[in-house]
Amino acid sequence: MPEPAELRTNRLLLRRPRPADTEAFVEVHTRPETHAHSGFAQRTREQALRLLELIQRDWDDTGIGYWTVLTAGSDEILGFGGLRHADDGGESILNLYYRFQPSAWGNGYATEMSAAAVRWARRDLPRTPVLVRTATRNAPAVGVAERLGFRRVAERLHQGVPEVVLRSPHPAVS
């Protein structure tokens, strides 16, 4: 499987996280604002560092994981997101995820990053479904998924939080 260690869009550079990204990762993942719609408490520094370790392990073990999302042509880190292998009720899937700095919200970056991730997945892993699993109350994430043509396929509880599951269309999102 080809490693998408770096992808470019019109405005973004998506690349595998580097050690120098650690503090930005912790900042994004521990801010109360970035958890406002998640249904879960904000992460601690230790939880954020464990998540980053998991993401790096994903890259090492499967050749895919969440990217650092930067403004193209600069070192400005906007957030983190992308795809990772996961299991959903016994089905092997790619989980689409993102978390951006509040200063990046409202600019279409999540949609742009997500569309690039889905295009890559459809081209390189066409048999693996792409899902968004998020809190039902996370209207911004649901909106991004729906703009990309994802369809609601389930609602359930995840760790006591109402969750909606959206599945990407087949073939690729353009």
Side-chain angles (χ1 to χ4, degrees):
M1 165 176 53
E3 182 178 294
E6 185 174 297
L7 292 177
R8 292 180 186 275
T9 70
N10 289 338
R11 301 180 298 160
L12 304 174
L13 169 63
L14 316 174
R15 64 162 169 73
R16 183 177 177 165
R18 299 175 180 164
D21 302 340
T22 299
E23 288 311 311
F25 187 91
V26 168
E27 180 185 349
V28 167
H29 286 85
T30 59
R31 291 186 70 159
E33 305 95 322
T34 66
H35 289 78
H37 303 289
S38 74
F40 296 100
Q42 73 189 68
R43 288 183 174 95
T44 64
R45 179 179 179 79
E46 294 73 28
Q47 290 168 328
L49 289 171
R50 280 194 302 272
L51 177 59
L52 183 56
E53 287 175 18
L54 174 66
I55 291 167
Q56 293 294 11
R57 201 169 326 123
D58 286 341
W59 279 104
D60 293 341
D61 294 347
T62 69
I64 190 170
Y66 301 147
W67 295 289
T68 300
V69 181
L70 302 100
T71 304
S74 83
D75 292 331
E76 179 187 6
I77 295 176
L78 301 170
F80 299 85
L83 302 164
R84 74 180 294 262
H85 288 281
D87 179 85
D88 189 75
E91 180 181 31
S92 180
I93 65 146
L94 291 169
N95 186 69
L96 177 61
Y97 164 91
Y98 61 84
R99 195 166 303 261
F100 285 89
Q101 291 284 6
S103 60
W105 297 353
N107 293 298
Y109 297 135
T111 302
E112 190 171 331
M113 187 267 334
S114 297
V118 171
R119 279 192 302 273
W120 178 88
R122 287 297 147 245
R123 185 185 66 236
D124 291 353
L125 295 172
R127 291 186 172 86
T128 307
V130 178
L131 269 59
V132 170
R133 303 176 295 179
T134 191
T136 304
R137 72 184 209 176
N138 191 348
V142 171
V144 166
E146 289 176 341
R147 277 191 294 285
L148 294 175
F150 281 64
R151 303 283 185 259
R152 291 173 185 250
V153 295
E155 290 194 22
R156 61 191 180 199
L157 286 180
H158 176 73
Q159 298 177 356
V161 174
E163 175 183 71
V164 62
V165 180
L166 301 104
R167 183 180 285 259
S168 77
H170 196 74
V173 171
S174 342

